[in-house]
Amino acid sequence: MLEELLTVAVVTGSAGAVYFAAAARVVKQYERGVVLRLGRLRGAVRPPGLTLIVPAVDHLHKVNMQIVTMPVPAQEGITRDNVTVKVDAVVYFKVVDAAAAIINVEDYRFAVSQMAQTSLRSIIGKSDLDDLLSNREKLNQGLELMIDSPAVGWGVQIDRVEIKDVSLPDTMKRSMARQAEADRERRARVINADAELQASKKLAEAAQQMSEQPAALQLRLLQTVVAVAAEKNSTLVLPFPVELLRFLEKAHQQPSQGQLTPRQE
């Protein structure tokens, strides 16, 4: 009798261990468990840790709740100003409702990917080339709203959408390079003209000041002589005031006349 009881206990324990091994499931910290019993949603979403299901009756689906980084393949389209471009992007999203992600959509990752590609092509057609190149933040927000609206029903939340690169045809790149070069040349000419205007105003003010103070003109002449002499030139040509020549001529004639008078006497 004792042996029979011991045998039954061993068999029961073995069966219990086999059942526990078949029924036990481990849900990781970043996952949530959705249980379908005979094809129907059973109970609440299972939290992380050890959970038990009924073998052959329940089926546990584990849903990753981490943020998923999904690259969007480059989409070719024509902008509103008739320029053919290729644009690729990246979508950051996460599951916020594990049951909806399993029940409402067959494959939420594939659904988000297709919606992102469709929305990206739509954004290309509604935008100008300048917006794609310089106003990406606004386009990112618009793209995020376009994807997030249907994704709510799939239990998915779009965290962020970023346009990565805009590829242009070679002819458009050359045209933009010529345009940028012409713009830089235009700005350079405007700056040079402005500098010439300011310099001419300063020269006019200096001329007016020197006309009121003749000594300033002589000091400027001496500064010019010093600056030219520092260059070690072999020949130096200077303007000489006519009044100074006449003064020296008169000063030379007066001693000469004083010397000739005694000889005539």
Side-chain angles (χ1 to χ4, degrees), residues 89-200:
V90 58
V91 180
Y92 301 89
F93 69 92
K94 62 181 178 181
V95 176
V96 294
D97 188 346
I102 295 298
I103 302 300
N104 295 346
V105 62
E106 180 181 2
D107 186 346
Y108 67 89
R109 289 175 179 263
F110 181 73
V112 171
S113 176
Q114 294 300 308
M115 179 57 64
Q117 295 179 38
T118 304
S119 301
L120 184 57
R121 286 194 295 268
S122 178
I123 284 290
I124 294 174
K126 295 178 180 178
S127 305
D128 295 330
L129 179 61
D130 292 339
D131 293 334
L132 290 175
L133 296 177
S134 60
N135 197 13
R136 292 191 181 183
E137 187 64 28
K138 181 179 178 180
L139 297 180
N140 291 338
Q141 294 176 0
L143 191 58
E144 179 179 345
L145 291 175
M146 293 179 67
I147 303 175
D148 189 62
S149 180
V152 172
W154 306 333
V156 176
Q157 177 182 337
I158 305 301
D159 187 70
R160 189 178 183 87
V161 181
E162 292 286 346
I163 294 177
K164 293 171 58 178
D165 188 27
V166 179
S167 300
L168 302 175
D170 293 337
T171 55
M172 180 58 63
K173 291 180 181 179
R174 289 193 292 268
S175 299
M176 294 179 65
R178 289 195 298 268
Q179 180 182 358
E181 184 178 358
D183 185 65
R184 287 193 297 268
E185 184 177 356
R186 178 186 61 83
R187 285 184 291 176
R189 290 182 178 179
V190 171
I191 292 173
N192 289 335
D194 187 59
E196 291 290 340
L197 177 61
Q198 295 180 9
S200 63

Side-chain angles (χ1 to χ4, degrees), residues 6-258:
L6 183 59
T7 302
V8 172
V10 171
V11 171
T12 304
S14 301
V18 172
Y19 179 85
F20 180 80
R25 296 290 187 274
V26 175
V27 180
K28 298 180 181 179
Q29 182 65 39
Y30 54 85
E31 295 176 336
R32 298 296 184 270
V34 178
V35 177
L36 297 179
R37 176 168 294 178
L38 298 177
R40 300 181 63 180
L41 182 64
R42 175 68 179 178
V45 175
R46 303 294 176 88
L50 180 65
T51 185
L52 297 176
I53 62 174
V54 179
V57 177
D58 294 343
H59 184 69
L60 178 67
H61 295 270
K62 298 179 182 180
V63 181
N64 192 328
M65 308 296 288
Q66 292 175 313
I67 294 179
V68 179
T69 303
M70 175 179 291
V72 181
Q75 301 297 309
E76 184 174 356
I78 301 177
T79 62
R80 192 165 55 183
D81 49 354
N82 297 323
V83 179
T84 303
V85 296
K86 284 186 178 181
V87 182
D88 59 351
V90 58
V91 180
Y92 301 89
F93 69 92
K94 62 181 178 181
V95 176
V96 294
D97 188 346
I102 295 298
I103 302 300
N104 295 346
V105 62
E106 180 181 2
D107 186 346
Y108 67 89
R109 289 175 179 263
F110 181 73
V112 171
S113 176
Q114 294 300 308
M115 179 57 64
Q117 295 179 38
T118 304
S119 301
L120 184 57
R121 286 194 295 268
S122 178
I123 284 290
I124 294 174
K126 295 178 180 178
S127 305
D128 295 330
L129 179 61
D130 292 339
D131 293 334
L132 290 175
L133 296 177
S134 60
N135 197 13
R136 292 191 181 183
E137 187 64 28
K138 181 179 178 180
L139 297 180
N140 291 338
Q141 294 176 0
L143 191 58
E144 179 179 345
L145 291 175
M146 293 179 67
I147 303 175
D148 189 62
S149 180
V152 172
W154 306 333
V156 176
Q157 177 182 337
I158 305 301
D159 187 70
R160 189 178 183 87
V161 181
E162 292 286 346
I163 294 177
K164 293 171 58 178
D165 188 27
V166 179
S167 300
L168 302 175
D170 293 337
T171 55
M172 180 58 63
K173 291 180 181 179
R174 289 193 292 268
S175 299
M176 294 179 65
R178 289 195 298 268
Q179 180 182 358
E181 184 178 358
D183 185 65
R184 287 193 297 268
E185 184 177 356
R186 178 186 61 83
R187 285 184 291 176
R189 290 182 178 179
V190 171
I191 292 173
N192 289 335
D194 187 59
E196 291 290 340
L197 177 61
Q198 295 180 9
S200 63
K201 291 181 179 180
K202 294 297 182 181
L203 289 175
E205 293 177 3
Q208 180 66 26
Q209 189 70 22
M210 289 182 180
S211 64
E212 297 175 358
Q213 299 291 335
L217 181 60
Q218 298 297 328
L219 290 175
R220 181 59 182 166
L221 177 61
L222 293 176
Q223 291 177 356
T224 304
V225 171
V226 174
V228 174
E231 299 295 333
K232 298 180 181 180
N233 294 325
S234 59
T235 303
L236 181 63
V237 179
L238 296 175
F240 210 71
V242 178
E243 291 79 4
L244 184 58
L245 290 175
R246 292 175 180 174
F247 174 77
L248 294 177
E249 184 179 359
K250 291 180 180 180
H252 179 70
Q253 289 177 356
Q254 289 179 359
S256 300
Q257 293 176 358

